[in-house]
Amino acid sequence: MAEQAKVPAIRFAGFTDPWEQRELVDIAEIVGGGTPDTNNSNYWDGDIDWYAPAELGNNIYAESSTRKITQAGFDSCSTKMLPADKTILFTSRAGIGNTAILRHSACTNQGFQSLVIGDADVYFVYSMSERIKKWAEEKASGSTFLEISGRQLETMPVNLPSLVEQQAIGSFFSHLDDLITLHQRKLELLQNIKKSLLDKMFV
């Protein structure tokens, strides 16, 4: 890796140390999922959040899953409980690289290779989602559909600043994303008002 790539073009004031090249496995445990038997009613409609890839959409945070499983369902399969606020859900097939930060402890089906963040800032890593997605899409393989494995994802090279700089960057992008979300909601509200007025003013 070229030395100049270890220093980003834009930085916050006060940070001058070079970024360190690591692998994703150094900062995140990659955790897959599983699915209970769908024909066993004892495994479903419980109180454990269980995510499928299609649920993530464009949301930054995963608050609650569409389907939920019981403790018996959880115990019956290979899915793992993922910790809140430390996990970035990451879809590994049928649309690689959709992400969301988990707000409540939950598990997933096998369409995920989620990142349980260790010694790193969660929002800093989340802000790298597009870069991780691009790398995963390039490395994915499969005859029926493209898929990235957990072992492959572990080897992704990442450049990391100090934790303090990560937190500064993560906080900046968190505030920026909040602002974008706020304006999107305002836009949707105005669009709904316009539609309502058009429906009532033109006959």
Side-chain angles (χ1 to χ4, degrees), residues 184-196:
Q184 284 175 335
R185 288 173 180 166
K186 287 181 178 179
L187 177 61
E188 290 170 2
L189 177 60
L190 290 171
Q191 288 172 332
N192 289 335
I193 291 172
K194 178 183 176 181
K195 183 179 184 305
S196 176

Side-chain angles (χ1 to χ4, degrees), residues 12-168:
F12 290 114
F15 296 105
T16 57
D17 292 338
W19 291 24
E20 181 181 358
Q21 184 173 2
R22 307 284 291 278
E23 289 187 339
L24 195 56
V25 69
D26 294 326
I27 59 168
E29 179 186 3
I30 314 298
V31 181
T35 301
D37 183 351
T38 55
N39 294 316
N40 190 329
S41 60
N42 292 325
Y43 293 166
W44 298 92
D45 300 321
D47 57 5
I48 298 174
D49 281 329
W50 176 87
Y51 286 90
E55 294 179 58
L56 298 194
N58 296 317
N59 297 319
I60 295 173
Y61 296 101
E63 301 279 359
S64 179
S65 64
T66 302
R67 299 193 71 184
K68 300 181 188 297
I69 62 175
T70 63
Q71 185 63 49
F74 177 84
D75 293 338
S76 75
C77 68
S78 59
T79 194
K80 302 289 191 300
M81 190 61 70
L82 302 167
D85 300 319
K86 294 290 289 181
T87 300
I88 301 171
L89 300 180
F90 185 92
T91 59
S92 57
R93 62 168 77 160
I96 292 172
N98 293 329
T99 56
I101 299 172
L102 197 60
R103 271 290 172 85
H104 306 283
S105 297
C107 55
T108 72
N109 72 7
Q110 58 272 30
F112 291 84
Q113 294 294 340
S114 297
L115 316 180
V116 179
I117 307 302
D119 188 22
D121 182 79
V122 173
Y123 215 95
F124 172 84
V125 180
Y126 174 77
S127 298
M128 296 166 51
S129 291
E130 282 301 316
R131 189 166 291 225
I132 299 172
K133 175 179 180 176
K134 182 180 179 182
W135 187 91
E137 287 175 335
E138 291 173 353
K139 300 296 181 183
S141 59
S143 54
T144 306
F145 49 77
L146 290 178
E147 183 172 10
I148 187 78
S149 71
R151 287 192 178 276
Q152 287 174 298
L153 206 55
E154 287 178 347
T155 66
M156 177 185 169
V158 293
N159 295 322
L160 295 173
S162 68
L163 182 58
V164 175
E165 188 171 0
Q166 288 178 42
Q167 290 167 341

Side-chain angles (χ1 to χ4, degrees), residues 60-61 103 123 171-185:
I60 295 173
Y61 296 101
R103 271 290 172 85
Y123 215 95
S171 177
F172 172 80
F173 281 110
S174 176
H175 289 310
L176 190 58
D177 285 339
D178 287 345
L179 190 60
I180 291 169
T181 300
L182 176 63
H183 283 284
Q184 284 175 335
R185 288 173 180 166

